[in-house]
């Protein structure tokens, strides 16, 4: 099974919630990632490409391989900070 996702990484849960609200109100996920994400992937709109289970930290993996595709999930806390995760595709398993 593989998954493709985008994410935004910020320092605080509050910042994460604020960005999620902006996205829900029409800001594009890609633009929010480019302007706010601490992760180098932010410059690509948060795009992490395709990955398999176990390639990301456990909290991130759990969301990517169990939650709804096409929806913004988060805030998700990991050792890196707080993430918003947009699952763009999941293969190898019927939804």
């Amino acid at each position: 099974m593989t998954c493709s996702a985008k994410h935004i990484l910020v320092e605080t849960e509050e910042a994460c919630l604020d960005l999620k609200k902006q996205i829900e109100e029409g800001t594009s996920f890609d633009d929010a990632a480019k302007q706010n994400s601490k992760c180098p992937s932010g410059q690509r709109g948060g795009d992490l490409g395709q990955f398999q289970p176990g390639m990301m930290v456990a909290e991130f993996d759990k969301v990517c391989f169990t939650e709804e595709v096409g929806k913004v999930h988060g805030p998700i806390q990991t050792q890196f900070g707080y993430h918003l995760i947009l699952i763009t595709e999941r293969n190898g398993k019927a939804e």
Side-chain angles (χ1 to χ4, degrees):
M1 183 182 339
T2 61
C3 180
S4 297
K6 297 179 178 187
H7 83 130
I8 300 171
L9 174 62
V10 294
E11 297 275 345
T12 67
E13 186 174 15
E14 184 180 14
C16 210
L17 288 167
D18 184 52
L19 286 170
K20 188 173 187 178
K21 184 172 189 268
Q22 289 177 37
I23 292 164
E24 288 168 350
E25 292 174 350
T27 298
S28 86
F29 193 96
D30 288 19
D31 287 345
K34 286 175 187 172
Q35 293 169 18
N36 299 281
S37 187
K38 297 188 323 177
C39 181
S41 69
Q43 297 312 305
R44 299 186 306 274
D47 191 0
L48 295 169
Q50 198 171 72
F51 51 92
Q52 296 176 333
M55 293 177 71
M56 302 292 182
V57 294
E59 303 90 340
F60 203 94
D61 244 23
K62 182 178 178 191
V63 171
C64 290
F65 290 98
T66 62
E67 298 295 335
E68 185 179 341
V69 174
K71 183 177 176 210
V72 177
H73 302 280
I76 309 298
Q77 185 177 11
T78 70
Q79 72 234 39
F80 302 106
Y82 290 86
H83 306 258
L84 289 180
I85 302 171
L86 174 60
I87 305 162
T88 54
E89 187 177 15
R90 188 180 306 128
N91 298 328
K93 183 174 120 178
E95 292 301 313

